[in-house]
Amino acid sequence: MSSWESNVRRVEPYVPGEQPKDKNIIKLNTNENPYPPSPKAAEVMKAFETDRMKLYPDPDSTVLVDALAERYGVKPSQVFVGVGSDDVLSMAFMTFFNSDKPVLFPDITYSFYDVWAEVYRIPYKQIPLDENLHINPSDYKTENGGIIFPNPNAPTGVLESVEMIEEIVKANPQSVVIIDEAYIDFGGESCLPLVEKYENLLVVQTFSKSRSMAGMRIGFAIGNEKLIKFMNDVKFSVNSYTMNPVTQLCGAQSVKDEEYFRKTVNMIIDTREKTKKRLSALGFTFPDSMSNFIFASHKTKPAGEIFEELKKRKIFVRYWNKPRINNSLRITVGTPEEMDCLIKALEEITT
């Protein structure tokens, strides 16, 4: 080992879903939206003056922050934006989780949480979900250095009630509680109204799922003004110019196009519910997903085998060979035509 290597920070990185180079793939493995973004966002890109590329972007992302504040009925000073919700969550870990007490999150959850904890040297404890893959709020009424979990959960799709979330937030006034609502628009009730009641609650959402803008990388957090100021202080100590001007403008227009947003979200919900029935008929079981994916297990065919067989047919889904979830596949809800192809392939594989 070279002498300098002893000072390297070593971590096991997050592994994202495979991004195949082959365009002739039915890609149902990364929970992207199958529909294009708002036409208003596309108009921004066509009209953007390329001469502006030589200038730094607005470090405050004012146009986007203002649009989000208006849409969600909060002050601009209650909104933080970042390059995807991963950037927002990473900044929140760095800002709020600095205790010697462990940060708490579920054992089956978004697999970036433990990566951030490791890279920032944050102690953490993974709390097992119950047999129905739900959170037991009593597990989070203990000393901790912070709490984070997605709602609906990923990869299970299970939705927790706002009442249960409030119970956890109320029981932990000494800690910041972060609710990761990446999938909330697909049938869940947001806990955003609670930020006016609890100064220790931070709610994070993303444009990658319900707003069809995964490639633009936009995430945001809403919370108490004090929380947001602390996050901005950290952000501006790392990199002031994180979001480019095209992204800011496209994001703002997407937020303003409520009609298109509702239309595409409802299309995905409709396809999801139809797909649930078709998967059940093929012998699959799954939690009642309120997200844009279904976390399915077959009664006789191992998930790993189905995953490989689907891949041979150029259909990509997500599989983790991990305890408690190694017999489940996370299947993104695509277009009706894509789901027809999936079901046809599963009929061949499982019968």
Side-chain angles (χ1 to χ4, degrees), residues 82-314:
V83 185
S85 60
D86 287 341
D87 180 43
V88 175
L89 290 165
S90 175
M91 202 65 61
F93 267 65
M94 197 188 310
T95 305
F96 302 119
F97 297 162
N98 291 289
S99 169
D100 56 359
K101 299 171 185 175
V103 170
L104 309 180
F105 49 85
D107 63 333
I108 302 172
T109 193
Y110 185 31
S111 52
F112 225 141
Y113 297 159
D114 58 329
V115 174
W116 285 316
E118 293 284 353
V119 77
Y120 295 135
R121 302 297 190 257
I122 299 167
Y124 65 94
K125 181 180 180 182
Q126 294 170 300
I127 309 294
L129 297 175
D130 69 18
E131 64 276 10
N132 296 314
L133 302 178
H134 277 277
I135 286 172
N136 183 344
S138 63
D139 291 338
Y140 292 80
K141 296 177 182 179
T142 183
E143 277 199 320
N144 64 78
I147 295 170
I148 182 169
F149 57 86
N151 193 48
N153 194 12
T156 67
V158 171
L159 179 73
E160 304 290 359
S161 70
V162 172
E163 291 74 21
M164 189 281 285
I165 291 171
E166 182 171 12
E167 181 181 345
I168 291 175
V169 176
K170 187 176 182 179
N172 290 278
Q174 78 291 345
S175 302
V176 173
V177 179
I178 302 174
I179 307 301
D180 181 355
E181 292 189 340
Y183 303 99
I184 198 66
D185 294 323
F186 298 106
E189 180 184 357
S190 174
C191 64
L192 271 171
L194 295 180
V195 302
E196 301 299 336
K197 190 174 179 181
Y198 299 97
E199 70 172 16
N200 62 321
L201 173 63
L202 188 75
V203 179
V204 178
Q205 294 191 14
T206 179
F207 282 49
S208 297
K209 317 301 180 185
S210 57
R211 295 191 183 276
S212 309
M213 298 180 75
M216 296 296 279
R217 311 306 300 130
I218 305 175
F220 64 97
I222 294 177
N224 176 277
E225 290 177 273
K226 190 187 300 184
L227 290 181
I228 300 305
K229 181 184 184 304
F230 286 143
M231 287 187 70
N232 275 316
D233 287 347
V234 173
K235 171 186 174 180
F236 292 131
S237 299
V238 176
N239 184 355
S240 299
Y241 303 107
T242 56
M243 187 178 292
N244 69 70
V246 177
T247 297
Q248 294 179 25
L249 293 167
C250 287
Q253 288 304 310
S254 174
V255 171
K256 294 175 183 178
D257 196 350
E258 188 72 15
E259 181 180 358
Y260 183 83
F261 167 70
R262 293 294 173 192
K263 176 185 174 182
T264 53
V265 165
N266 287 334
M267 289 165 65
I268 291 169
I269 291 172
D270 181 66
T271 304
R272 179 191 70 202
E273 296 307 305
K274 290 176 179 176
T275 303
K276 286 178 183 177
K277 294 176 181 178
R278 299 173 78 182
L279 287 173
S280 293
L282 289 175
F284 284 91
T285 58
F286 40 82
D288 187 22
S289 174
M290 288 292 113
S291 57
N292 70 334
F293 59 85
I294 300 167
F295 196 55
S297 303
H298 194 262
K299 60 183 179 181
T300 59
K301 201 78 169 179
E305 290 184 23
I306 298 174
F307 171 76
E308 294 297 340
E309 288 297 324
L310 285 173
K311 203 168 183 181
K312 290 176 184 176
R313 292 164 172 79
K314 294 192 173 184

